[in-house]
Amino acid sequence: MENSDFVDIQQNDIPGAIRYRGNVRLLHDGVRMNCNTAYLFQKENYVLAFGDVKMNQGDTVFMDSKYAEYRGNTKFAFATGNVVMRDPKMTLTTDTINFDRRIQQAYYTTYGTIKDQENTLRSKSGRYYLDQKKFQFLTAVTITNPKYVIKSNHLDYYSNSGHSYLFGPSTISSKENFIYTEKGFYDTKKNFAHFVKNSYIKYNNRLIEGDSLYYDRNREFASATRRVRVTDSINKSIARGHYAEVYRNQDSLMMTGRAYTATLVEKDTLYMHGKKMLVTGKPENRVVRAFPNVRFYKIDLSGKCDSLHSSEKTGITKLIGRPVLWNGENQLTGDVMHLISNTQTEKLDSLKVLNNAFIASKDTLGNGYNQVKGVNLYGKFRDNKLYEVDLVKNTEKIYFAYDKGELAAIDKGVSSAIKLELEDNKINTITSFKNIQSDSYPEKELPENARKLRGFIWRGDEMITKMEDIFPPEEQLYHEKQEKAGAIDDAKKPVPMEPRKETLEYDKNNPSQNKTQ
């Protein structure tokens, strides 16, 4: 006992205790207690404190309450009644606190509120590890920040660093997005995060899922690794791969690792693959780019090229680099292809093939190939089927004509232009215009080497006939390795989650970002 205004030894309402009143100050092994009234049990080394109780451990922990108990032998403190516990970094308010000085832990089972420089935490119960500056919550906890709100049933929070570790179903919500995870890390000071179990990030129109998600709120940037899925509700599309990057402010997506998109088009699904796929711009101005080794498939339309560029605003999809298109039995090739959609109905409207344009199909009886060639080709679609094709400039044709199922002749000729009319993706009529030079040959009179137009290459062995064909062998092998790695990781026992290397080294690689935080 350091001080009191009055001491009651004989006249005491609690037997076995000495009552101290007025400006009471006690000191025990580094803990100082101030109060209005104290009852000291000397044999038990135990004190009861009433009225404006203040307890502090050195200059690191301060606790105020209406009532407190302290057991000197076990170094255990109990405080209740408008309890406020403070250290230099945070303030905790609750109704009741238990403080075990031996292990330097404080815990409460009544609703408590914790405030530090960045956040306000509220929970039904919690435990504070003083040495680590760590709070642990195993019941409903909410972290409120000016930019977002975190909710979890199991959260570890470090008041010095602002690091939060989330376990079990947890959410992070803000004006910009909504995040769900069952295991993750969030740096509340630097605003970046890493999520590793059943996690997703939901923007206005995009849902990002993956085995591992990284998120930077400062840049509104997210990346996903392994078994990634990005769903676009406005464009009715899903992008899949094993690595993705999303910039919300730029409304952009980059996907690699067996990347492909599945888009709903006229009650059918268009699948498209490229080694790297980019989707940029707002929905009305969205641009899709894919490269290299682009492949796409739809029930009635498929194709390949080196790179692809598609604009939602213009409705033009450009196929660049050895493009080939299959529509029914027809193969179309040229230097550059443009598929043109109606921007209002979003239906496929027309086709342009520029330079070295060919349209060809196998002869029905296997005698060769029907071929029509021109400098440029212009086609029109109805219900996703070519029904009219015009070839212009230096046009040539080879066509196998039949009569009652028998090959009657092979027509070969040149002209200034050729019009094709098709029905059910099959050439019905061929009409030549201007400067026509055409001959019909019996099959025996036209040698094999004369049955192909110059520059014609049949690419039927490359034809994409099902969704799985959009992936080249190396991409399929990569996918299988990733799936196997995922199965192995899923089978492992849970281990404490740690921030990945990219998270820890972010500040080192972005010195300018540090200055603003």
Side-chain angles (χ1 to χ4, degrees):
M1 176 65 64
E2 280 193 334
N3 182 76
S4 70
D5 294 340
F6 302 96
V7 180
D8 299 320
I9 299 176
Q10 300 298 330
Q11 298 179 353
N12 192 351
D13 52 353
I14 300 180
I18 301 173
R19 183 172 66 176
Y20 298 89
R21 295 181 292 120
N23 296 317
V24 179
R25 296 196 302 272
L26 300 94
L27 180 65
H28 180 269
D29 193 21
V31 169
R32 185 180 298 277
M33 180 184 293
N34 293 8
C35 62
N36 294 332
T37 301
Y39 292 84
L40 177 62
F41 299 82
Q42 289 182 323
K43 290 183 179 180
E44 294 83 357
N45 199 17
Y46 174 55
V47 66
L48 307 178
F50 297 84
D52 195 20
V53 181
K54 297 183 183 297
M55 187 182 303
N56 65 284
Q57 179 179 273
D59 58 356
T60 57
V61 178
F62 302 84
M63 187 165 63
D64 303 339
S65 63
K66 291 182 178 180
Y67 171 78
E69 301 176 9
Y70 182 74
R71 300 179 183 275
N73 293 338
T74 59
K75 297 183 180 180
F76 190 90
F78 168 84
T80 189
N82 298 331
V83 180
V84 178
M85 188 175 194
R86 307 181 307 278
D87 69 17
K89 294 291 184 179
M90 70 85 204
T91 300
L92 164 63
T93 58
T94 187
D95 182 71
T96 301
I97 280 183
N98 295 278
F99 179 23
D100 189 337
R101 293 187 61 222
R102 291 178 306 170
I103 57 175
Q104 288 295 291
Q105 290 183 21
Y107 61 92
Y108 59 93
T109 56
T110 53
Y111 276 100
T113 300
I114 300 141
K115 291 186 177 181
D116 59 22
Q117 293 179 346
E118 288 80 23
N119 307 295
T120 299
L121 294 84
R122 181 168 172 77
S123 68
K124 186 177 180 180
S125 62
R127 183 175 292 269
Y128 183 40
Y129 299 79
L130 279 74
D131 292 340
Q132 302 176 55
K133 305 299 181 186
K134 166 189 169 181
F135 283 93
Q136 184 176 75
F137 309 97
L138 300 178
T139 55
V141 58
T142 300
I143 299 179
T144 302
N145 183 283
K147 295 181 179 180
Y148 55 85
V149 175
I150 300 176
K151 292 184 178 182
S152 179
N153 283 327
H154 182 178
L155 182 146
D156 291 352
Y157 178 77
Y158 293 80
S159 58
N160 269 357
S161 62
H163 289 180
S164 297
Y165 292 84
L166 307 165
F167 303 90
S170 307
T171 63
I172 305 171
S173 55
S174 68
K175 293 180 180 180
E176 294 79 18
N177 55 47
F178 177 85
I179 300 170
Y180 175 86
T181 187
E182 293 179 12
K183 195 174 186 182
F185 163 84
Y186 197 102
D187 189 320
T188 62
K189 290 188 176 182
K190 297 177 181 176
N191 281 314
F192 58 75
H194 182 207
F195 310 110
V196 295
K197 183 179 180 182
N198 297 333
S199 310
Y200 65 79
I201 301 173
K202 187 176 183 180
Y203 288 121
N204 292 334
N205 62 304
R206 278 199 177 118
L207 180 68
I208 307 162
E209 303 168 87
D211 285 2
S212 176
L213 299 180
Y214 171 78
Y215 173 61
D216 181 350
R217 188 177 297 277
N218 302 307
R219 298 180 293 162
E220 280 301 335
F221 166 81
S223 66
T225 305
R226 207 172 59 223
R227 294 188 287 199
V228 180
R229 175 188 173 110
V230 180
T231 304
D232 188 325
S233 58
I234 291 181
N235 288 279
K236 299 177 181 178
S237 68
I238 297 174
R240 290 178 179 267
H242 288 294
Y243 181 74
E245 294 182 353
V246 177
Y247 287 88
R248 177 184 175 274
N249 295 335
Q250 289 76 28
D251 212 333
S252 70
L253 162 69
M254 186 280 291
M255 182 84 74
T256 61
R258 196 179 181 262
Y260 75 95
T261 58
T263 307
L264 184 64
V265 179
E266 301 177 44
K267 298 181 181 180
D268 190 12
T269 303
L270 171 65
Y271 297 95
M272 181 169 63
H273 163 79
K275 191 170 183 179
K276 178 181 287 188
M277 304 192 72
L278 302 173
V279 182
T280 57
K282 302 297 180 182
E284 64 277 7
N285 292 315
R286 188 143 291 172
V287 174
V288 177
R289 288 173 289 168
F291 56 91
N293 204 358
V294 177
R295 305 177 182 207
F296 56 91
Y297 169 77
K298 198 160 140 328
I299 289 177
D300 45 22
L301 189 71
S302 63
K304 293 177 62 177
C305 58
D306 182 66
S307 61
L308 178 145
H309 183 284
S310 181
S311 169
E312 187 77 19
K313 185 176 183 179
T314 63
I316 298 175
T317 299
K318 299 178 181 179
L319 281 61
I320 305 164
R322 294 193 74 242
V324 56
L325 191 70
W326 293 282
N327 182 235
E329 298 178 358
N330 302 303
Q331 172 186 289
L332 295 96
T333 57
D335 290 351
V336 176
M337 287 187 184
H338 292 178
L339 286 168
I340 303 165
S341 299
N342 185 308
T343 56
Q344 300 300 318
T345 64
E346 297 184 353
K347 290 184 177 181
L348 190 58
D349 178 77
S350 56
L351 165 73
K352 291 182 181 179
V353 181
L354 308 176
N355 298 324
N356 301 312
F358 275 88
I359 178 169
S361 62
K362 269 190 175 182
D363 169 46
T364 54
L365 295 183
N367 293 298
Y369 302 94
N370 294 312
Q371 307 153 57
V372 183
K373 173 186 177 182
V375 174
N376 297 329
L377 178 153
Y378 304 94
K380 293 182 180 179
F381 288 92
R382 183 188 295 128
D383 297 328
N384 286 315
K385 296 178 181 178
L386 277 171
Y387 72 92
E388 185 176 281
V389 173
D390 290 295
L391 292 102
V392 298
K393 296 182 181 179
N394 305 324
T395 59
E396 302 178 51
K397 69 173 181 178
I398 292 179
Y399 186 73
F400 291 79
Y402 286 84
D403 182 19
K404 296 181 181 181
E406 297 291 332
L407 181 61
I410 302 174
D411 294 335
K412 185 173 183 179
V414 299
S415 58
S416 296
I418 294 177
K419 178 182 285 291
L420 306 178
E421 293 181 5
L422 299 91
E423 187 175 346
D424 292 330
N425 289 321
K426 295 180 180 180
I427 297 174
N428 197 18
T429 61
I430 299 178
T431 306
S432 300
F433 299 90
K434 294 182 182 181
N435 305 318
I436 301 171
Q437 298 178 27
S438 181
D439 291 298
S440 293
Y441 300 90
E443 182 182 7
K444 295 180 180 180
E445 294 184 13
L446 190 65
E448 289 290 337
N449 59 6
R451 297 184 186 184
K452 287 186 180 180
L453 298 177
R454 178 173 295 184
F456 170 69
I457 300 175
W458 180 250
R459 298 173 64 179
D461 58 341
E462 302 176 43
M463 186 178 293
I464 298 169
T465 58
K466 57 183 183 298
M467 179 268 183
E468 290 74 15
D469 291 343
I470 66 173
F471 303 110
E474 64 273 14
E475 288 289 318
Q476 186 63 27
L477 181 61
Y478 176 81
H479 172 68
E480 291 171 0
K481 288 182 178 179
Q482 290 295 308
E483 288 293 297
K484 185 177 180 181
I488 292 172
D489 286 352
D490 291 344
K492 289 180 179 178
K493 293 181 180 179
V495 295
M497 200 283 297
E498 296 181 0
R500 69 180 186 182
K501 188 177 180 181
E502 178 182 353
T503 303
L504 296 173
E505 295 186 351
Y506 174 73
D507 293 331
K508 297 178 183 178
N509 300 328
N510 296 269
S512 60
Q513 191 76 15
N514 291 335
K515 296 177 182 178
T516 62
Q517 294 179 1

